[in-house]
Amino acid sequence: MDNTRKKNRGRRAYFICLTIYTLALSVAAVFALSIVWNFAEEYEASRPGHAIEAYVKELSENQWVDSIADTLSAMPHEAQSNAECAELVREMLSKDITYTRKAGAGAASYALLCNGSEFGRVTLVEDQDYADRVKFGMLPWKVDTEEFDFTGLYSTVEITVPSTFTVELNGYELEEQHIVEKDIKLDVLEDYYDTVPNLPTKVTYRFENAIGELTPTVYDENGEEFLVDAAKDDSQYIVPCSDAVLARLSDFAYEFSDRYFHYITGLTDPVYGYDRLSTVMKLGSDLDERMKRAMDGLSWAHTSSLRIDSVVLNGGINLGDGFYVADVSTQTTTFQPGQGEVVGTHNMKIVVEDSANELRAHSMELY
């Protein structure tokens, strides 16, 4: 009986010791695992990639950090408000943002990319505020500096318009300092710049501080909005002649044709013919000088008769300052010795000046 009791007490003591030992091992294991877990957490937090990923995630969600506003304020954008520029940046940052380590700049410096183009740089440093909280000396990282470069959003607006026109961008009027070229001839008036003073010219405006795309608004000399058609020539800038002016040019075309062809064919005495023609010419003009030089040869002309069959004003161009171009087609029938009657069609462009309510020809070219 005593032996049985002794065996039971020994067995009980054994299991108690085993239990105590097991509990001690468990406590030691839990303590060791706790140390390993804390080490792993501290190690994970100490990786700079963790901080940059969190930064990029926040930037992607908000499309904004305070230093972006400072960057935009420092960028010239006279034609746009800060809010308008901010909206363009937000739109850009709503797209996929990625990052990459800056080559040669250390593990804590990263380039920020949007659609593969760099727009900023972030530098990370160890956060010393956690020095008393970490157990293994591995500090987490925080953003130290942010640098943004949105110059890639800049675009250049360039437009060529008549010098009397006004150009606005988003309500901002372009001025003299934006003009990069002056005195550009209108293509449809190329032939008249040497003859007619003060012909209209064009200027080219260039604005290089547009953030994003800006469409220019053009106003004519009367302040009316003008839609420039890039597919058209410069005739779109020419003021059309009124019906009253066209009627006057038509009457002038007949009178000029009658006196010009009677003079140039030598049908009349050259002096008399010149005197008649001079009443519809600007004295001292290019045309006047040409007619004087032709006078000596007119005595050799062999035309014996002339009939003006028709005079048609094909159109008129208003050059401004009282100058016009009359496009005239005249059909004549002349009698030439040895040839008989000769019918001819003569197309002319006549530069006409309206001075003191009197029309005078400055130049005339056959075409």
Side-chain angles (χ1 to χ4, degrees):
M1 196 69 176
D2 290 337
N3 288 336
T4 300
R5 285 198 193 96
K6 288 180 181 179
K7 286 181 180 179
N8 289 336
R9 280 199 296 270
R11 223 181 257 116
R12 192 178 301 118
Y14 170 76
F15 282 112
I16 290 171
C17 290
L18 182 61
T19 299
I20 292 172
Y21 179 72
T22 302
L23 288 173
L25 285 178
S26 297
V27 170
V30 169
F31 180 73
L33 287 174
S34 176
I35 293 174
V36 171
W37 181 259
N38 289 334
F39 180 88
E41 284 187 329
E42 193 170 306
Y43 172 76
E44 180 65 22
S46 71
R47 297 173 61 194
H50 179 73
I52 190 63
E53 286 176 6
Y55 177 87
V56 169
K57 180 181 179 182
E58 181 180 358
L59 184 60
S60 298
E61 292 174 351
N62 300 326
Q63 292 100 45
W64 197 257
V65 292
D66 290 341
S67 54
I68 290 179
D70 296 333
T71 301
L72 287 177
S73 295
M75 296 171 64
H77 52 274
E78 306 93 306
Q80 295 156 284
S81 67
N82 287 336
E84 289 172 324
C85 296
E87 187 60 32
L88 290 169
V89 170
R90 289 182 188 277
E91 181 182 350
M92 183 191 83
L93 296 182
S94 66
K95 301 176 175 66
D96 187 35
I97 300 175
T98 58
Y99 66 89
T100 183
R101 183 190 301 180
K102 288 293 289 184
S109 185
Y110 296 86
L112 300 175
L113 308 174
C114 185
N115 286 337
S117 298
E118 183 176 337
F119 68 90
R121 179 187 294 187
V122 174
T123 301
L124 307 178
V125 294
E126 292 181 327
D127 192 348
Q128 296 298 328
D129 292 341
Y130 283 81
D132 296 332
R133 305 183 205 178
V134 296
K135 297 179 179 180
F136 303 99
M138 294 181 290
L139 296 171
W141 295 75
K142 66 177 182 178
V143 174
D144 181 41
T145 60
E146 300 166 301
E147 299 175 21
F148 293 99
D149 181 2
F150 297 115
T151 54
L153 289 176
Y154 274 128
S155 65
T156 298
V157 180
E158 187 168 298
I159 185 171
T160 300
V161 296
S163 58
T164 55
F165 282 22
T166 301
V167 178
E168 290 185 359
L169 291 174
N170 200 27
Y172 174 78
E173 183 176 336
L174 301 188
E175 299 177 341
E176 183 74 20
Q177 66 266 26
H178 301 114
I179 295 177
V180 295
E181 188 176 359
K182 294 182 178 181
D183 300 323
I184 304 170
K185 296 177 180 180
L186 274 67
D187 50 26
V188 292
L189 304 182
E190 283 278 357
D191 297 335
Y192 308 114
Y193 281 91
D194 292 336
T195 306
V196 181
N198 304 318
L199 283 182
T201 58
K202 299 181 295 182
V203 295
T204 297
Y205 288 96
R206 182 182 298 154
F207 185 77
E208 298 180 337
N209 292 338
I211 296 180
E213 298 295 327
L214 289 181
T215 300
T217 303
V218 178
Y219 298 93
D220 64 19
E221 56 268 18
N222 298 316
E224 299 293 331
E225 186 171 347
F226 187 96
L227 297 178
V228 178
D229 190 339
K232 292 182 178 179
D233 61 18
D234 291 340
S235 61
Q236 64 185 302
Y237 304 124
I238 301 299
V239 178
C241 294
S242 66
D243 291 341
V245 169
L246 290 175
R248 291 183 65 202
L249 290 176
S250 181
D251 291 342
F252 173 82
Y254 183 86
E255 185 176 12
F256 177 85
S257 296
D258 177 70
R259 300 188 181 205
Y260 171 77
F261 285 107
H262 274 91
Y263 173 69
I264 205 70
T265 55
L267 274 175
T268 61
D269 175 76
V271 175
Y272 171 72
Y274 171 80
D275 286 342
R276 289 185 71 241
L277 181 58
S278 67
T279 62
V280 291
M281 287 192 306
K282 179 72 172 180
L283 299 182
S285 66
D286 172 70
L287 178 60
D288 182 31
E289 296 301 320
R290 284 168 53 194
M291 295 301 99
K292 287 177 181 177
R293 291 194 298 269
M295 188 178 296
D296 290 340
L298 295 179
S299 60
W300 297 93
H302 300 293
T303 303
S304 57
S305 69
L306 166 71
R307 184 176 70 244
I308 305 295
D309 298 318
S310 66
V311 178
V312 177
L313 178 68
N314 302 314
I317 298 175
N318 187 342
L319 301 179
D321 286 345
F323 283 88
Y324 304 91
V325 176
D327 187 336
V328 179
S329 293
T330 300
Q331 182 173 302
T332 62
T333 299
T334 59
F335 187 86
Q336 304 284 348
Q339 298 182 51
E341 287 192 342
V342 177
V343 177
T345 299
H346 316 277
N347 298 313
M348 302 177 286
K349 288 187 177 180
I350 311 168
V351 175
V352 182
E353 180 185 10
D354 185 1
S355 178
N357 204 34
E358 187 177 62
L359 298 179
R360 297 276 186 135
H362 270 245
S363 66
M364 186 276 294
E365 297 294 337
L366 296 170
Y367 71 94

